[in-house]
Amino acid sequence: MADAVPPPHVVVVGAGIIGLTTALSLAAARLYTVTVVTRDTDATSADDARVYTSAGSGGFWMPFHCEPEALVRGWAASTLDVLVAEACSPRSGVHVFPGVLLHPRAPAAVPPPPWWSALPKLSFAPVGADHPRVPPGYPGGYYFESPIAEMDTYLSVLRARAAAAGVRLMVLDKDLVAGSAQSLLAAVREVVDAPRDWSGDGCGGSGREGAAAPLPSPSVVVNCAGLGSVALVGDTTLTPARGVTVVVEPTSPVTGFVSETSTGEGRELAYVLNRGPKRLTVGGTYHEGDWSRSAPAAEVDALLARAAAVVPAVRSAKVLRQWVGLRPARAAGIRLEAEQVLPTAGGTDGGSGNPGGVVVHNYGHGGGGVTVCWGCANDAVRLVGEAVRDERVAE
């Protein structure tokens, strides 16, 4: 009897919200062996040398600096459906809250409803200055109900689900060295194909007993490295959009969210979001081209003052944590496409060269990673399926 053909091995680079949702969606297809390769698995404070963006984000579903709109519409709607369903489980870390997107103060014009206002799950409606969620000095806003993920919890839940689905997590002790899709594919193969005892590994931390059976070398890599794609595939159109958030514990309960409307460049705007039952995420900033991971005291003080103007409970709240994240902004918007890597022949030194493959890119989500993650993951799985099918047809 002929040996069974092992399922294709797909490696996801990156373990933020984009990488984890992509890995879970691949595992759910039950067609692949899935490995996640990452340097970072947690984020704690603004001063840490290594953090990744997802764990410090506000976890708020609302399209924000996320393009191209024609594609984001579908991705955001699909993700909204998933997050609303997640909110039915109290342990997921996702909850649906009511809130208001405030109109700019006079004399600025009242903006038209955003394109996503038509999504029925949001219960979107215009409200006036007399609405209880509209603070003094604002002419009104748009009321809606939206999911907010408490990201520490939600990412942990996703890692545990991935481990239960058989996804392997490989935490690297040094950066992958690449600069193109071809070199990324080669670098991933080098670290994944090396002999390894998987005891203690696993997305949920429980892992497997003993050394795992060797896996076939991956022919498809999914690049979910966010801003890391500047170095990994040489995408110089990516730029950081630096954001500062502060997690606080208010002295009086605050339920829901309030956000100013982004106007002009939208570099500073106040928002206050629930982050679990007794905490708030306070923001925020959006500074493109700024690579700094520090948060000067004056910047944090100004951020808190803006937020206190819309939610007075912030003024007396206890500061628990401040954090700086670098959103992966991209001039052309999200990159979600497959790139074919041609095989290379061996050199004059007798080397064997490198087999070809495919890199599926899923990065550049700007300020909308949580808003589009599951929708983008679905499209990434489709692209992986097409790549695997084409490879088999060519054999």
Side-chain angles (χ1 to χ4, degrees), residues 6 9 13 22 36-37 48 81 94 98 108 117 140 150 158 168-169 188 221-223 232 288 331 368 380:
H9 184 195
V13 178
T22 299
V36 175
V37 172
D48 282 354
D81 289 343
V94 182
S117 63
E150 200 289 292
L158 295 182
R168 305 185 188 205
L169 177 69
V188 167
V221 168
V222 187
N223 172 25
L232 290 181
E288 288 197 8

Side-chain angles (χ1 to χ4, degrees), residues 154-179:
Y154 192 45
L155 290 171
S156 179
V157 167
L158 295 182
R159 286 193 292 266
R161 290 179 188 169
V167 175
R168 305 185 188 205
L169 177 69
M170 178 181 288
V171 181
L172 304 179
D173 57 7
K174 60 182 179 180
D175 289 328
L176 290 170
V177 178

Side-chain angles (χ1 to χ4, degrees), residues 232-261:
L232 290 181
V233 296
D235 189 343
T236 57
T237 69
L238 272 169
T239 188
R242 177 178 169 275
V244 178
T245 60
V246 181
V247 177
V248 303
E249 182 179 301
T251 55
S252 57
V254 176
T255 301
F257 61 86
V258 178
S259 176
E260 291 184 315
T261 297

Side-chain angles (χ1 to χ4, degrees), residues 93-117:
V94 182
H95 305 277
V96 174
F97 290 103
V100 172
L101 178 63
L102 299 171
H103 295 326
R105 296 176 187 264
V110 172
W115 61 262
W116 43 268
S117 63

Side-chain angles (χ1 to χ4, degrees), residues 17-18 60-77 79 114-116 241 262 265 286 288 327-336 362-376:
I17 190 67
I18 300 299
F60 182 39
W61 186 99
M62 187 179 79
F64 176 72
H65 287 280
C66 192
E67 301 290 342
E69 182 185 314
L71 295 175
V72 168
R73 284 174 177 264
W75 295 331
T79 302
W115 61 262
W116 43 268
S262 177
E265 293 184 354
Y286 191 91
E288 288 197 8
R327 306 176 185 93
R330 188 167 179 268
I334 296 168
R335 186 181 186 191
L336 185 44
N362 185 10
Y363 67 84
H365 299 81
V370 171
T371 299
V372 298
C373 58
W374 287 105
C376 286

